[in-house]
Amino acid sequence: MAAPLLSAVADIIDEGGFAAVVAAAGRGEHSGLTDLFRVYQPMLLRYLRARDPVLADDLASEVWVAVARRLGGFVGDERGFRSWLFTIARCRLIEHRRKLARRRTDPVSHDRLDRLERPPAQSGGDDPAVLLVERMTAQAALDAVVADLTSDQAEAVLLRVIAGFDVGETARIMRRSPGSVRVLCHRALRQLAMSLTQEVGAE
């Protein structure tokens, strides 16, 4: 995931660098905002759809409204911007869930997730870890992450894989210690590898 991300970022910084793009967006220039949206919206949606498939698009819109309002005061590099963007997304998601809890709204049914078609398993001789990486490029695989892991495990893996954060950045966003994030990721990847091994064996 890191390579496509860096390539996409490189596409928008040919003239003046990433700071210039952010500065233009902060001044409200349409081209700057469009460039940022084009690069980061796909990964933001993948993260939010894996966390809340029903309201992901609405939450993403709220995130970009917040970014547009505060961008003039942002100071930092590309990695800092990405961390800021996903921190806002996570906060919006938490706020949404708290509102639902206060309203005592029933949780969204998982029937839709259960009916989603998963990519076909590869041949039994393939390494489950390789299968995991390949499948992580599909939305159905992200849905499987949500289904197979605890909420914290899923979030840690999504931030590492989709957003390309390292352990320290993931820990800051999740407000956990780096050691805790390492444990979450280790257990999550072990669980996913076991699940893929079982799927391959069942073919």
Side-chain angles (χ1 to χ4, degrees), residues 49-147:
R49 283 173 179 165
R51 304 301 289 152
D52 192 323
V54 175
L55 292 178
D57 293 276
D58 290 339
L59 291 172
S61 296
E62 291 182 17
V63 170
W64 284 110
V65 168
V67 167
R69 288 175 177 170
R70 305 175 193 172
L71 196 55
F74 172 79
V75 177
D77 58 9
E78 187 281 325
R79 188 175 290 271
F81 176 82
R82 193 166 9 118
S83 179
W84 181 56
L85 178 72
F86 277 84
T87 298
I88 294 173
R90 186 173 189 267
C91 288
R92 287 291 183 272
L93 184 61
I94 291 172
E95 289 170 5
H96 164 68
R97 289 176 173 173
R98 285 176 178 167
K99 287 178 183 177
L100 287 181
R102 285 197 295 269
R103 295 173 187 169
R104 297 184 180 181
T105 303
D106 293 333
V108 176
S109 171
H110 291 287
D111 290 345
R112 286 185 60 214
L113 293 178
D114 293 339
R115 289 196 298 268
L116 284 174
E117 181 180 350
R118 297 187 180 186
Q122 304 296 320
S123 62
D126 289 338
D127 185 346
V130 175
L131 293 177
L132 172 62
V133 173
E134 292 175 350
R135 292 186 180 194
M136 286 300 291
T137 61
Q139 183 63 44
L142 298 182
D143 296 331
V145 169
V146 176

Side-chain angles (χ1 to χ4, degrees), residues 4 10 12 17 108 157:
I12 72 170
V108 176
V157 171

Side-chain angles (χ1 to χ4, degrees), residues 144-168:
V145 169
V146 176
D148 293 340
L149 304 179
T150 67
S151 179
D152 285 342
Q153 287 173 345
E155 183 165 30
V157 171
L158 292 170
L159 289 173
R160 295 292 315 276
V161 173
I162 292 177
F165 294 124
D166 61 24
V167 170

